[in-house]
Amino acid sequence: MSKYFNSSLPFSITAEQVVQQIIDFMKDDRLSEYRVTIGTDSQANIEQKADFVTAIVVHRIGKGARYFWTRSGEPIKFHSLRDRITREVLISLDSANQFSESLAAFKDAPKFDFEIHVDIGQNGATKVMIQELVGMIRAHNFEAKTKPESYAASNVADKHV
């Protein structure tokens, strides 16, 4: 992992530092339940180029959360909504694979659930993609959430696109 992430800190941190901050956050209250979620959102401009933002959220259930976000390189040109949404899922899957492995390396970390959030739902043009994209995520052994439960993509990443 070599990306830099933004957070509430006034400087960027590495992916390795994000993992350590997630572990530290969970260790602060070992009795709580935790959920780590990853979601990517994008915004297409007039030239059909899309800017992608990925958010990583560690949620202390019922007691708050912390999040980190990163922007994925230069905008990429897409010809269809399906291609752009599929790219969001692929970015999230790549991040999920990296972060789940890094988090699992900490044997003394509290137990947590891990999810990928997708910015699609039952309303709108993306509803026809739900089965396909959720299936893609489940094929990689991750739990998938769509709107209205997909806050990492629909709210957190969306805020920074």
Side-chain angles (χ1 to χ4, degrees), residues 39-79:
T40 302
D41 195 16
S42 62
Q43 181 69 48
N45 63 23
I46 198 156
E47 299 167 346
Q48 291 303 309
K49 289 185 177 180
D51 186 30
F52 294 88
V53 171
T54 301
I56 298 148
V57 181
V58 56
H59 185 192
R60 186 180 288 152
I61 308 299
K63 298 180 182 177
R66 290 201 59 203
Y67 77 89
F68 308 89
W69 63 275
T70 188
R71 192 171 308 278
S72 297
E74 293 296 315
I76 302 169
K77 185 165 182 146
F78 287 91
H79 299 288

Side-chain angles (χ1 to χ4, degrees), residues 64-129:
R66 290 201 59 203
Y67 77 89
F68 308 89
W69 63 275
T70 188
R71 192 171 308 278
S72 297
E74 293 296 315
I76 302 169
K77 185 165 182 146
F78 287 91
H79 299 288
S80 71
L81 177 63
R82 174 179 294 283
D83 290 343
R84 186 164 54 91
I85 300 294
T86 300
R87 180 68 178 151
E88 289 177 9
V89 170
L90 292 172
I91 291 170
S92 290
L93 280 169
D94 183 48
S95 295
N97 282 318
Q98 291 176 2
F99 277 92
S100 65
E101 288 175 15
S102 295
L103 290 167
F106 286 85
K107 301 300 179 200
D108 64 335
K111 182 183 176 298
F112 61 92
D113 294 326
F114 198 93
E115 299 174 348
I116 295 180
H117 290 189
V118 188
D119 192 25
I120 58 175
Q122 293 295 333
N123 300 321
T126 60
K127 67 183 175 186
V128 298
M129 295 184 271

Side-chain angles (χ1 to χ4, degrees), residues 13-68:
I13 61 176
T14 65
E16 291 82 3
Q17 290 170 315
V18 169
V19 170
Q20 187 61 57
Q21 290 211 7
I22 290 170
I23 294 297
D24 291 346
F25 182 74
M26 292 191 294
K27 284 182 175 180
D28 281 345
D29 184 354
R30 290 183 172 275
L31 299 177
S32 290
E33 294 180 34
Y34 292 93
R35 182 177 303 126
V36 176
T37 61
I38 292 182
T40 302
D41 195 16
S42 62
Q43 181 69 48
N45 63 23
I46 198 156
E47 299 167 346
Q48 291 303 309
K49 289 185 177 180
D51 186 30
F52 294 88
V53 171
T54 301
I56 298 148
V57 181
V58 56
H59 185 192
R60 186 180 288 152
I61 308 299
K63 298 180 182 177
R66 290 201 59 203
Y67 77 89
F68 308 89

